[in-house]
Amino acid sequence: MSFWIRYIRKRLSRITLIVIAGILDLGARLVPYRIAVAAGGAIGFISYYLLPRERKRALSNLHRVFPDRSEQWVRTTALRTFVHLGKSLLEVLAINPRRVRSVVTCKGLENLETAVKQGKGVVYVTAHIGNWELMAGAVSQKYPVSGVAVAIEPEPLNDLLLRLRAKMGIRTIVRNRPGAAKELIRVFRENRALGILMDQDTDVESVFVDFMGRPAWTPTGAAQMAVKFKAPVVFGYIRREKDDHHTVFIEGPLELVRTGNDEEDIRTNTAMFTKMIENAILRNPEQWVWMHRRWRRQP
């Protein structure tokens, strides 16, 4: 949901955006779930044509990563990406703990359990693949989950998103807010799973690593937490199936590079995490956020 808000808020006034979000939130909770998901797909389809800048960027990124694919394949994949994200938006608004158990299947929970048994907390590396909010909700039904996020504007929408996550049992640590650092430490003391999305170019501590054949400015928070707290790391992502059911895949605990040179270990492990994200995207290209300016910074 936060991904859509960041893109659409530039086109709409603050009040208009809040009103639209409120209407969608109410509608998603009142209509049958399948209808809400179908409506989300329609919103995504329309957005493909109403957001030309994001459409062109998605097409450009797909052409760059898949130079041998046909123009038709690129356009179809870009459109499916928008439709998928539209569905994801309404799914997040309509979901509840009971429903998430019926529409999400988890594979590899035993891998997360192995990491949790170490008692040091778990770094859960993931990305904007599939419906990542549903994944967090599904995993939180089995293990305590916290997530790191950036505050979005306007504030009422940020509050809405935090309430939706809390309803699923997810604690959100809002970066740069008072108490955020203490909350991060508490995650590992309480042996919780810390979900970190690390596939976007953002203004956080990062390094350049290879991503889809090009250097990409990549957040190092996951590797830093693992090195600092000596916590195990798992990698997880979620895939939308043809019937709009979802499957979560969890791998690990991962074997990290630990040479004692923290700076180099962080870079090496960040590159490893990024490669796993890349492989997951290549298996499901229509379910990643191709409109993001992933390669906007270059060394």
Side-chain angles (χ1 to χ4, degrees):
M1 181 177 177
S2 60
F3 184 86
W4 271 117
I5 292 172
R6 288 198 298 271
Y7 278 100
I8 296 175
R9 71 183 178 188
K10 298 177 183 178
R11 307 289 196 274
L12 302 173
S13 69
R14 182 177 185 274
I15 295 177
T16 303
L17 184 55
I18 293 172
V19 170
I20 291 175
I23 292 172
L24 290 176
D25 181 33
L26 179 62
R29 287 186 283 111
L30 292 179
V31 304
Y33 180 74
R34 290 292 178 184
I35 294 178
V37 175
I43 291 173
F45 183 90
I46 295 170
S47 298
Y48 176 79
Y49 297 99
L50 292 183
L51 300 174
R53 184 182 305 171
E54 286 69 31
R55 181 181 69 247
K56 291 177 181 177
R57 188 177 299 133
L59 293 171
S60 175
N61 285 335
L62 282 163
H63 274 299
R64 180 180 293 118
V65 173
F66 300 99
D68 298 329
R69 293 284 192 166
S70 67
E71 179 69 24
Q72 182 59 45
W73 183 90
V74 167
R75 292 189 174 277
T76 299
T77 301
L79 177 57
R80 287 176 176 172
T81 297
F82 278 78
V83 171
H84 158 72
L85 288 171
K87 288 182 176 182
S88 297
L89 170 64
L90 269 292
E91 284 168 340
V92 172
L93 292 172
I95 207 66
N96 57 54
R98 177 190 59 80
R99 188 169 285 156
V100 78
R101 289 190 290 269
S102 68
V103 300
V104 182
T105 299
C106 292
K107 295 185 177 182
L109 274 174
E110 67 277 7
N111 298 323
L112 177 57
E113 182 178 1
T114 298
V116 169
K117 285 181 178 178
Q118 296 186 29
K120 300 178 180 179
V122 180
V123 176
Y124 191 111
V125 171
T126 188
H128 294 83
I129 309 170
N131 191 332
W132 56 92
E133 297 283 357
L134 281 192
M135 175 175 63
V139 174
S140 70
Q141 304 306 301
K142 303 291 183 180
Y143 301 98
V145 173
S146 296
V148 180
V150 177
I152 58 174
E153 296 293 340
E155 189 68 24
L157 292 182
N158 191 65
D159 293 340
L160 170 61
L161 184 56
L162 296 185
R163 287 197 304 272
L164 291 170
R165 289 173 178 160
K167 183 171 67 174
M168 301 301 301
I170 305 163
R171 289 186 195 170
T172 303
I173 303 171
V174 182
R175 192 181 291 127
N176 298 327
R177 289 285 179 87
K182 290 183 179 180
E183 184 62 27
L184 275 174
I185 295 173
R186 188 177 296 118
V187 167
F188 296 96
R189 286 179 176 172
E190 295 180 357
N191 197 25
R192 300 176 66 86
L194 178 67
I196 301 180
L197 296 107
M198 50 169 293
D199 61 326
Q200 294 198 343
D201 183 328
T202 55
D203 295 323
V204 298
E205 193 167 348
S206 303
V207 295
F208 283 108
V209 299
D210 181 81
F211 180 63
M212 304 284 188
R214 296 184 68 199
W217 189 239
T218 304
T220 57
Q224 286 181 354
M225 293 295 103
V227 169
K228 180 177 181 179
F229 294 100
K230 296 180 173 57
V233 180
V234 300
F235 169 67
Y237 73 97
I238 185 170
R239 180 179 71 197
R240 179 185 300 279
E241 310 295 355
K242 291 182 178 179
D243 60 355
D244 288 322
H245 193 85
H246 301 262
T247 306
V248 174
F249 300 90
I250 303 174
E251 303 174 36
L254 306 180
E255 187 173 343
L256 303 187
V257 174
R258 300 184 189 271
T259 66
N261 182 333
D262 288 356
E263 183 177 347
E264 198 55 39
D265 289 351
I266 287 169
R267 178 185 298 275
T268 301
N269 289 315
T270 297
M272 178 181 69
F273 302 157
T274 301
K275 189 64 179 177
M276 298 183 77
I277 291 170
E278 176 183 316
N279 290 337
I281 294 169
L282 293 177
R283 288 193 290 268
N284 311 275
E286 73 285 354
Q287 297 187 33
W288 189 60
V289 288
W290 292 99
M291 61 287 295
H292 174 63
R293 295 176 63 194
R294 185 65 185 93
W295 297 273
R296 69 188 177 106
R297 278 182 263 211
Q298 288 295 291

